[in-house]
Amino acid sequence: MAEPHHSINHTLAEDAQAFALGTTICSLGLLILTNLGLITGQTAGLAVLLSYLTGMKFGVLFFLVNIPFYILAYMRMGTRFTIKTFIAVALLSVIADQLPNFVKFSEIDPLVGTLIMAGVTGLGLMVLFRHGASLGGIGVLALYLQDKTGFRAGHTQLIFDACLFTVAFFVLPLPMVLYSLLGAVIVNLIIATNHRKDRYVAL
């Protein structure tokens, strides 16, 4: 039987180090992902795909595509969550664009790179989730629609990712799309296994 869980209010210093750590780890995952020419799901995947198509930097696109979702985040999750998410998205946007200036890969095996990318991305997201933040986007929309219409949040996310990867099939080489799918599945499994209300809840 699961032990009772308790909400944890983190200090400002604890949140600050968690945001710095979580966004940096996620940025490392994105660096590996883009070096391999892969994509991922949700708004991060949309921003990556748009960066491939337009040549614009990922960070700029990621920040822009998240803007419409802050209103929904405020309506669904409240002021605190919205502010934390805005900070996390802004940090990731900056770090992801700057990290390639300091870290470079000469060669990455696609399968091993996919596994490492998925692992570090999942860990980075866990750090942010446990400090009451997210990287915005479709997850917020999914929760909002679930509240308003009863349409399950997981289905909204699945539909969005299905559309995203369908477009990717026409843009990226087939092996890269398959590796991308594998990476997205692993990230979701890491979160589903470790981010559970009966094990850890934090604000």
Side-chain angles (χ1 to χ4, degrees), residues 9-68:
N9 288 310
H10 292 116
T11 66
L12 182 61
E14 289 171 338
D15 280 342
Q17 66 83 25
F19 283 21
L21 176 63
T23 53
T24 299
I25 294 174
C26 286
S27 295
L28 178 60
L30 283 165
L31 180 60
I32 297 172
L33 179 136
T34 52
N35 268 264
L36 289 170
L38 308 181
I39 66 164
T40 187
Q42 307 299 302
T43 46
L46 176 60
V48 169
L49 189 58
L50 288 174
S51 72
Y52 292 157
L53 293 173
T54 66
M56 292 180 63
K57 289 188 175 182
F58 163 82
V60 175
L61 290 167
F62 183 64
F63 186 81
L64 292 175
V65 298
N66 269 292
I67 289 175

Side-chain angles (χ1 to χ4, degrees), residues 63-95:
F63 186 81
L64 292 175
V65 298
N66 269 292
I67 289 175
F69 298 103
Y70 293 124
I71 296 175
L72 296 180
Y74 173 76
M75 295 173 64
R76 173 58 171 78
M77 310 293 284
T79 303
R80 186 171 181 172
F81 173 84
T82 305
I83 292 173
K84 286 187 172 185
T85 295
F86 178 85
I87 293 171
V89 169
L91 279 173
L92 181 71
S93 298
V94 173
I95 296 172

Side-chain angles (χ1 to χ4, degrees), residues 95-193:
I95 296 172
D97 280 353
Q98 295 303 314
L99 196 60
N101 296 325
F102 302 96
V103 180
K104 300 182 186 300
F105 299 99
S106 59
E107 183 178 351
I108 311 175
D109 177 81
L111 178 57
V112 174
T114 298
L115 297 177
I116 295 173
M117 176 278 298
V120 297
T121 301
L123 289 174
L125 289 170
M126 289 294 303
V127 172
L128 293 173
F129 291 166
R130 291 182 174 184
H131 282 259
S134 77
L135 291 177
I138 299 303
V140 175
L141 174 62
L143 290 171
Y144 178 82
L145 291 177
Q146 180 172 278
D147 286 348
K148 293 298 182 180
T149 69
F151 191 74
R152 296 185 63 178
H155 293 164
T156 298
Q157 292 178 297
L158 182 62
I159 291 171
F160 179 85
D161 282 350
C163 293
L164 183 64
F165 278 96
T166 298
V167 174
F169 273 111
F170 295 97
V171 176
L172 304 177
L174 179 60
M176 296 300 99
V177 178
L178 296 179
Y179 282 125
S180 298
L181 284 168
L182 174 62
V185 169
I186 294 173
V187 170
N188 285 320
L189 284 175
I190 290 172
I191 293 171
T193 302

